[in-house]
Each structure stands twice: as structure tokens, then as C-alpha cells.
Amino acid sequence: MNDLEALVGRALRDPLEAARRHAAAGGRVVGYAGAEIPVEIILASGAFALRLPVRPELSTASADRYLESGFSPESRSLAAQYIDGAFAFLDAAVLPRSNDSLQRLYYYVWELQARGACAGPAPLIFDLAKLPRIASSLHTRRAAQRLAAELGAAPAALPAAIERRNRRRSLFSQANRLRADGYAFAGSTMERIFRAADCCEPDEFDAAFAAWLSAPRPPDPRVRLVLAGNSAPDDRLHRAVELAGGNVVAEYGEHAACAFGHERPAGDSLDAIADHYWAAPIGSRAIADRAEALLAVCHSARTDGVVIWLLEQEDAQIWDVPAQRAAVESAGLPILVLTRRSWLADDGALERIAEFTRDLGATR
Amino acid sequence: MSGRRDGQARKDLQCTADALAFQKRYAADLKRRVVERGEPFVVAQADTPHEIFHSMEIPLITNQWWSAYISAKQLSKPYFEKMRERGYPDNGCRYCSLGLACTLANDPATAPWGGLPKPTMLVARLTCDCIQYVFGQWAEALGTEFFALEAPAWRRKDPRWFESSNDRWEEVFESERIGLLVEEMHALIARLQEKTGRVFSESRLTVLMDRINEQERYIAEAAGIIGATRPCPVSILDQVPNTMIPQWHRGSDWAVAHARRFRDEVVARTKAGAAVSGNERIRLMWIGAGLWHDQGFYNALETDLGAVFVWSMYMPFAGPQYIRALHGKPLHALASRICSMNEVLHLPPWMNGWMVSEAQRCGIDAAVILVPPDSRLSQSGINITRLSLEESGVPTLLLDADMVDAQGWSRDVIVKHMAEFLRNAGLG
């Protein structure tokens, strides 16, 4: 087993382990949720930036008492861990306003803490505005300044923090490019790596990832699929494709692989970071043509087909389904659309995906 | 009491009939203005600054009113079926999207007014993830633009917000949040002026805001009387139209006069000892949007169980959420009215803090919370509110039903369910 595989395996078995170790050694740890938190600001505060993990294997009973059915399963998992004390060792936790479930969770955790029903740090909110309007951009700049003040991020530390995050951006981008170019990277392996990344000590992870990516790979002859929509709790959708003889070569939507968007921040100031997240085409609040964007991913990945998998709780991406389906079909690509699905994919979704993959293989 | 068909909603006040008649005339006039004369008009969510449109004399169609109008014509089911046929998953927010569904169905033979003509713009606050999608697509289908307003985070978490919201609004709702909405309103005004040629005047807005304050004081006074009087003198079927119809026209001569008349009728009924039910034994609170497709449901428990819905959010909301001391800053005062309208109704600690206070004020025995299955916004905050109410001694029932979609609804089944809940709570 190489360094990266060992690191990823450890991180996925116990996603809090590295952060707890950092805290035990006297370091600060700041948790965050979603892909729209400016991790650069956390890093500039000198803290370990921990992407709060979803844990499908843990009970959510403690959260079910308070959260309504419309909450995303990811936020429900985070709520349960928060209430059950798993995040009590954190120095701070940052939630995004730009994700509906997570911004509601911010208010719920405050309320539960006021009632004495939830341990851990009082959550902070990154008040990201996404409208393409100067007022929203300035509001986001003020939000970044506030978050920096709340976390104690030093302006002088920001350039180095941005550089560290850009290093991660480059690695993700390189990995996604190699997958799209047809080299043999199993989608499930990539999914595990992408998920583990922000639970690991960053320098250690990036060094291991860079070394792993540099190893030569043969071309991959399998059926190529793009996976769009929601993110499953782990790599189970990717594995379903692989077991049927295919491979997920790109993702589109709220997947770990897509966490960074494409561009780097255009500077090393707090304003540049704020502007970057304000304009980034990620998250459900981004103003974007998601049919065109999905089609662009399909073209660059030279895909044989597309699977759109959406949860019962999803109420944003579902509105793009007709346009996305039409765009994909107009490009002559087969598409499987699965909506109102269970997060655990225990509703026949894996079988449907496998069948779709096998059909693609048979007609190739 | 007015005569009615069995099971039909009963409305007792003369001013209710007048409000409904006014709204019918207004709808006909609005149709004439926007459909026949082609005047510019706006489609906007309820939680947007209608005052801007009113002060610029731009006709307004509120999405929620339009949805209720479509729903009342029993068109929600066929229109949502059309959405399914177009490939939309059927777990989308129905309350927000019925107008879009009507437009996409593109069936002038059934659509109210033969369908909406092209509005000047659509306006909505982004209070949940679906809104920019629904309104963006609706705008595209209507061939117009969508002007979105941010819904920023709110850090000051005061469960007693309603005690100081009229005057100390800058502190309660946060000056930065208010400032953002003021900036957005300036942009909205500029765009409206550009597209309609109509001119905004801050002095006209100031007059309007003063008149709205007068109107809302009458409603707040009526809410205070109704909550304090036993037996309840005015049913929610009279409370809601006499609050909401003037609310759609807030600050107009008719709206101010009607609110005063409603207050006067409430006072008169109270003095006369009038009662919604001659057998009031249980005072109920209805939390959530109105059950627009079956308003007769509210009357159904009165006779058998003496259970009267004394409270729904619309009327008591007028006092804390609409009345604003202007402090020489009418746009800022307006922004403070709008920038938390959804949050106080759907998020802790504001929602539960206010509901518990209102339940105590009105001597509520039990509460019913509407839980629409496919509206995350309307679902939000209900579990914590239920806990808060129950901790304060108010048994609370969660009722799974949609406010505009009648599919799956059976009044008889729900009435039995309610009766069982009240019995189990020791109230039946």
C-alpha cells in the first residue's frame, strides 16, 4: 500500500483523527462545511482546516428530533455529530449561508446550544452572497473580513495560506484532467481521495497525492461515465459503475471532485479571496447555466453516458433536470436520470446505474 | 352568521364580504390594466418591498396570491401534471412554483386571465435554494427579467425580537443587513424607472409608509382584542382576508379605511358578545400558510368539539413586522420590514420565541402546524417550535398537507385525526 492509499484509508475510517491529533498537540482546529467556505482564511488563522465529514454509518437520531425532513442528509449527519459531541474539540465551526440546509443548521445549532442540547463551539456563518451585483460582491467582502476577524486570521499570513490552497487546487485540477484524458484512474479511488483530502494534514496529503499522481498510468478502455447531481455518502455510486464494467471519469455538481471550480483567486488579499468565492461557479446559489456546464464536462471527459442522481431532499438542482436532459440528449449521449432518491442508494439506484452502464458497454 | 353550503367556509363579518368583493373588483381591474391595456406590472414574492411598486404606481401581482388564485380554481393538479410531463421531478416546492407551472402549461383556455402577459420583471428574495431556479425559469418563460434580492445571514438572535422591532429596528434587524437591502432597492428602483418610465419619489414613499403604519395599527389593535377575548369573536376565516387583502394594497386609501373598519367591526362584535362558536372550549393556533384549497376545514371542528382556531400568523404579524418608526429614513425602515420577513416566521429563535409568546397572549390550548411535504421553507423551524410550544404547555400537532395542492387531502380524515389529537391531549 502506498503512502496516499494508507493516508486516505485512515482518513475515511476516522475522518476526525488527524484533526484531533492536531488539537491534542495544542493546535487549533476549525471545522467547516461545504465547498464555499474560504479555507484560505482558516489556514491564515493558523488552524487546521477540517472539512466536517458526513458519516452515513452513524445514527442521526439526535438530529431527527429537531431537523425537518427537508434537510439534506449531509446536514443531518453533521447535526447529529454536533449534537452528539463529536465536534466538541473544535475551536470553531464555519457554516455557509449559501447552502440552504447548512445555513438553517447554523440557526438550529445556536438554538440548541441556547437550550443546552448541543455541545461544541458556537457556529460561525460565512455570509456569502452570490448575485452578480456590486452590492453582493461588497457584502461578501465584508463577510470575509468578519470571518477573518472572528478566526483571528492575520493578513500577513494570507498569501501563504492562499498558496497552500492553490497547491491543492492544482492537484485536484491535474487529477481531473488526467481522468478526462483517459488514463486509468478508477472513479471510486478518486472519489475516496477527494473526500479524504480536507480531513488530512494538508502538507502530508498534498505530498502523497502529488507523488501518486506522477506515477504513469495506462489508458482506460472502460465505458466512460459522467456522474452529476448530488453526492452520495461515499464512493458507492462509482463502485456500482465499476462493477458493471464502466468508470466514472468526471463529476458535475456538488461532488468532492468539483469543490474548487476552475479558477484561482486573482490575488492574495482578503478582497481577492472574497471575490473568488462570490464568483465561483460552484454551489446551488451560483448563477450559472448548468445544462451548458454539464455538457461542457461531458465533452471534455469524452463520456459515453451521463447519470444524474438527485436526492429526495434536493430542491435546487431538480429544476435543471429538463434542460440538462435535453442538452445531453441533443449531444447524442445516453442519460439516466434518477430523482427523489435515498441518500444510501438502497432504493434500487445502484442496480439501475449498473444496468445503464452494462447497456452502454453492450452498445459501444 | 351567513348561510352556506354544507362544508363551505363560513365568514361572519360584513367587512369580509366587502374585502373579498374589493379584491374581486381589483383583480378584474388589474386584469384590465395588465392584460387589456398592457400596462407594465411586476410579479413579486410576498416578502419583497411592495411599497416600492405601490409608490411608483406599478401594478403588482403577488406570487402567493396568484398561486392561491390558481389553487382556488382547482388547477394545481393539472398544472403540476404538466410539469411532470415536462420532466420536472415532482418534489419541487409547490407554493413557489405554481405560477411557473401555469405559465409552462401554456393553456389559455384554463389559465386565470388566459395566462399572465409579460411582466416588467419578477422579484423575489432568495430565502431558499429553489427560488432563483423557479423565478429564473419563470422569467425566461415569460420573456422578462428576474430581479433577485439577497437574504443575508442574521447574527443577532433575539427570541423577543417582536418587543422592539417597531422602533429599534436598526438594532434588531442589523444595520448591515438593512443597508444591503437598501442598496438593492436603489438598483431595483433604477431598473423599474428605466423600464417603465415611472418615477420613484422618497417623499411619496414616506407618505405611504406613514399610512401603512396607520393601517397596521388598526390590524394590530384588532389582533390584540381577538386574542384577549373569550369566546373568540372573529374566526381566522375573517381574520385572514381582512388582514391580507388590505396587506396586498397596503397604504392605499381603501386599505387604511378597510383596516379601520375591520377594527371597528371587531370591537363591535366583542362588545356585543358575538362568538365564532357558541360552544368554545378549545382555543387553537394555526401555524403556517393558509389552507387555501379547503378553507371550510377551519369551521369543521367548531360545532362538534367546540374547537376554534383563534390564531393564525397573518393578523398578529402585522404589528411587530409591519409597523415601523421611520426615523427620517423611509427606505431603511422599509428594508427592516422586509429583510427578516421569512426568518421570523421560519427560523429559531425568532419563530418559536414569537409563537410561544403569542400562544400565551391568546390563551391557546393547542396548536396545529401545517407541514407541506415539498416546501423546505414552510417546513423550516417547525420541530423546534413544536418543542417550544409543548414545553410551554401547548400540545402541538404536525399536519402533513400542502397549502395549494389538494392531492391527498381529505377533510373528513383530517378532522378525525384532529379530534383524536385533542382527545389524546386531554382536550377533547
Side-chain angles (χ1 to χ4, degrees):
Chain A
M1 187 182 287
N2 64 39
D3 290 349
L4 182 71
E5 284 170 3
L7 192 60
V8 167
R10 276 204 311 275
L12 294 180
R13 271 193 304 280
D14 184 358
L16 303 179
E17 191 265 338
R20 273 199 308 262
R21 198 158 15 95
H22 186 85
R28 292 175 68 239
V29 177
V30 174
Y32 67 95
E36 294 177 276
I37 301 298
V39 172
E40 293 84 350
I41 294 176
I42 300 175
L43 295 174
S45 77
F48 183 113
L50 169 71
R51 182 157 178 168
L52 298 174
V54 296
R55 306 289 300 273
E57 73 278 16
L58 300 179
S59 164
T60 59
S62 57
D64 296 341
R65 187 167 180 231
Y66 306 108
L67 271 59
E68 291 76 25
S69 62
F71 272 83
S72 68
E74 292 91 338
S75 57
R76 186 173 299 276
S77 172
L78 296 184
Q81 293 176 75
Y82 223 129
I83 294 166
D84 294 339
F87 301 149
F89 74 99
L90 300 177
D91 292 282
V94 189
L95 299 172
R97 197 259 294 179
S98 48
N99 175 291
D100 199 47
S101 282
L102 292 172
Q103 66 101 15
R104 288 180 202 282
L105 184 59
Y106 162 78
Y107 297 108
Y108 280 46
V109 170
W110 265 95
E111 173 73 7
L112 295 178
Q113 290 185 332
R115 290 164 164 262
C118 181
L124 305 173
I125 193 159
F126 178 53
D127 196 6
L128 173 62
K130 294 289 285 185
L131 289 172
R133 192 182 292 147
I134 190 71
S136 295
S137 142
L138 294 176
H139 186 80
T140 300
R141 287 185 176 192
R142 288 192 292 271
Q145 286 159 8
R146 185 183 301 106
L147 183 64
E150 287 168 334
L151 294 177
L158 202 55
I162 293 171
E163 187 46 46
R164 279 175 97 182
R165 206 59 183 160
N166 281 344
R167 184 180 69 198
R168 178 68 56 82
R169 281 192 178 88
S170 295
L171 289 168
F172 269 49
S173 174
Q174 185 189 347
N176 282 328
R177 198 170 52 247
L178 289 168
R179 298 169 73 198
D181 285 348
Y183 294 100
F185 291 90
S188 59
T189 303
M190 299 313 300
E191 177 70 10
R192 288 165 55 80
I193 292 169
F194 291 140
R195 277 173 187 274
D198 284 333
C199 298
C200 299
E201 197 288 314
D203 292 341
E204 183 185 12
F205 176 87
D206 288 353
F209 193 21
W212 186 81
L213 279 176
S214 67
R217 296 284 195 296
D220 187 346
R222 291 176 289 185
V223 167
R224 300 168 64 77
L225 279 173
V226 166
L227 181 59
N230 291 120
S231 179
D234 53 27
D235 60 348
R236 64 190 66 189
L237 302 185
H238 295 76
R239 279 187 282 117
V241 171
E242 289 163 21
L243 286 169
N247 192 25
V248 174
V249 294
E251 293 84 4
Y252 178 72
E254 294 178 9
H255 293 264
C258 313
F260 288 105
H262 305 295
E263 304 295 329
R264 289 167 167 236
D268 58 9
S269 68
L270 210 45
D271 284 351
I273 286 297
D275 291 351
H276 173 79
Y277 284 92
W278 165 66
I282 52 177
S284 57
R285 297 289 180 106
I287 305 295
D289 183 337
R290 290 176 178 78
E292 193 179 292
L294 173 60
L295 204 52
V297 171
C298 292
H299 286 319
S300 70
R302 292 178 289 108
T303 189
D304 297 308
V306 178
V307 174
I308 297 180
W309 182 78
L310 292 165
L311 295 170
E312 170 66 28
Q313 295 83 0
E314 177 60 45
D315 68 349
Q317 297 183 67
I318 56 171
W319 296 99
D320 283 326
V321 166
Q324 289 181 327
R325 182 196 286 272
V328 170
E329 286 178 346
S330 72
L333 289 170
I335 182 168
L336 173 66
V337 179
L338 299 172
T339 62
R340 308 197 70 165
R341 310 312 292 197
S342 146
W343 189 46
L344 299 177
D346 53 359
D347 53 0
L350 299 180
E351 293 75 10
R352 296 279 306 278
I353 290 171
E355 186 184 0
F356 178 70
T357 307
R358 279 192 293 271
D359 288 349
L360 285 180
T363 57
R364 206 179 188 194
Chain B
M1 292 177 188
S2 57
R4 67 189 199 281
R5 293 195 313 273
D6 203 27
Q8 193 181 14
R10 189 196 75 231
K11 297 176 176 74
D12 297 328
L13 273 59
Q14 180 55 47
C15 62
T16 306
D18 292 347
L20 293 167
F22 174 85
Q23 186 64 10
K24 199 169 177 181
R25 284 196 307 276
Y26 174 81
D29 184 54
L30 186 62
K31 181 185 174 190
R32 246 190 317 277
R33 290 175 70 183
V34 305
V35 178
E36 292 163 24
R37 287 193 222 144
E39 270 195 61
F41 75 103
V42 166
V43 176
Q45 287 279 74
D47 63 334
T48 57
H50 292 189
E51 291 80 351
I52 300 288
F53 315 123
H54 293 332
S55 71
M56 294 177 75
E57 297 182 347
I58 297 172
L60 166 69
I61 292 177
T62 308
N63 182 36
Q64 285 81 355
W65 173 77
W66 185 244
S67 291
Y69 195 42
I70 297 168
S71 174
K73 292 182 178 300
Q74 311 295 321
L75 290 167
S76 56
K77 188 176 174 185
Y79 287 167
F80 285 129
E81 278 171 6
K82 292 279 186 192
M83 293 287 276
R84 271 192 291 277
E85 286 169 18
R86 283 174 161 265
Y88 287 94
D90 53 9
N91 55 328
C93 176
R94 295 179 179 209
Y95 202 30
C96 292
S97 65
L98 188 49
L100 169 66
C102 176
T103 297
L104 291 180
N106 193 22
D107 182 9
T110 61
W113 302 2
L116 280 182
K118 176 181 169 177
T120 302
M121 65 173 65
L122 274 61
V123 182
R125 270 184 91 217
L126 304 183
T127 46
C128 61
D129 285 345
C130 73
I131 288 184
Q132 70 192 55
Y133 295 79
V134 172
F135 277 76
Q137 293 186 22
W138 196 9
E140 194 180 337
L142 288 166
T144 190
E145 70 178 275
F146 169 41
F147 193 100
L149 301 167
E150 297 279 4
W154 191 4
R155 284 175 186 74
R156 189 179 193 276
K157 301 170 193 71
D158 178 7
R160 308 287 295 180
W161 61 275
F162 46 88
E163 291 174 341
S164 44
S165 54
N166 294 158
D167 189 51
R168 294 185 359 241
W169 41 262
E170 197 138 21
E171 175 189 330
V172 174
F173 301 106
E174 295 178 354
S175 53
E176 190 179 309
R177 302 175 71 246
I178 291 168
L180 173 60
L181 183 51
V182 168
E183 283 181 58
E184 292 180 316
M185 288 195 296
H186 280 304
L188 173 64
I189 288 165
R191 193 77 186 117
L192 287 169
Q193 291 186 146
E194 188 184 328
K195 292 192 78 174
T196 67
R198 297 186 186 187
V199 178
F200 174 77
S201 149
E202 190 164 305
S203 59
R204 222 164 33 225
L205 177 70
T206 301
V207 171
L208 184 73
M209 292 290 284
D210 282 335
R211 291 171 60 76
I212 292 170
N213 279 339
E214 181 186 350
Q215 173 182 332
E216 305 300 346
R217 281 192 198 101
Y218 295 134
I219 302 292
E221 193 184 335
I225 293 167
I226 292 169
T229 305
R230 285 172 182 266
C232 177
V234 177
S235 87
I236 66 169
L237 289 170
D238 287 294
Q239 294 177 26
V240 173
N242 285 299
T243 303
M244 289 315 296
I245 294 174
Q247 206 72 278
W248 301 138
H249 308 283
R250 52 189 180 257
S252 72
D253 289 346
W254 177 83
V256 177
H258 188 86
R260 185 169 52 236
R261 195 175 149 214
F262 171 56
R263 187 274 317 265
D264 290 347
E265 205 167 338
V266 169
V267 169
R269 281 180 65 84
T270 304
K271 282 184 180 161
V276 173
S277 165
N279 177 34
E280 177 179 305
R281 294 191 301 107
I282 304 167
R283 291 166 72 85
L284 298 173
M285 187 173 199
W286 175 268
I287 297 175
L291 195 64
W292 307 125
H293 59 79
D294 184 13
Q295 296 191 41
F297 161 75
Y298 295 112
N299 299 133
L301 296 173
E302 290 165 8
T303 315
D304 292 347
L305 295 171
V308 177
F309 282 100
V310 173
W311 189 98
S312 86
M313 65 184 179
Y314 298 101
M315 190 171 60
F317 197 51
Q321 192 56 31
Y322 281 81
I323 296 171
R324 290 290 180 266
L326 299 190
H327 299 314
K329 297 190 287 187
L331 270 173
H332 288 74
L334 171 58
S336 80
R337 178 183 291 157
I338 303 301
C339 74
S340 297
M341 206 169 254
N342 264 295
E343 287 82 346
V344 295
L345 290 176
H346 296 296
L347 283 172
W350 307 284
M351 177 188 186
N352 48 321
W354 184 54
M355 299 289 176
V356 167
S357 169
E358 285 294 292
Q360 287 166 347
R361 178 180 71 80
C362 299
I364 295 296
D365 298 305
V368 180
I369 305 182
L370 183 74
V371 188
D374 295 318
S375 170
R376 188 186 288 172
L377 182 64
S378 299
Q379 284 185 10
S380 183
I382 59 177
N383 285 339
I384 286 176
T385 297
R386 177 192 197 175
L387 282 172
S388 296
L389 284 167
E390 290 184 339
E391 284 164 7
S392 72
V394 178
T396 302
L397 173 72
L398 303 186
L399 194 60
D400 294 316
D402 195 90
M403 57 288 253
V404 292
D405 189 352
Q407 291 182 75
W409 172 261
S410 161
R411 188 194 296 179
D412 290 344
V413 170
I414 299 296
V415 167
K416 278 184 196 154
H417 185 47
M418 280 281 307
E420 188 183 345
F421 156 70
L422 293 172
R423 266 197 308 277
N424 291 341
L427 295 166

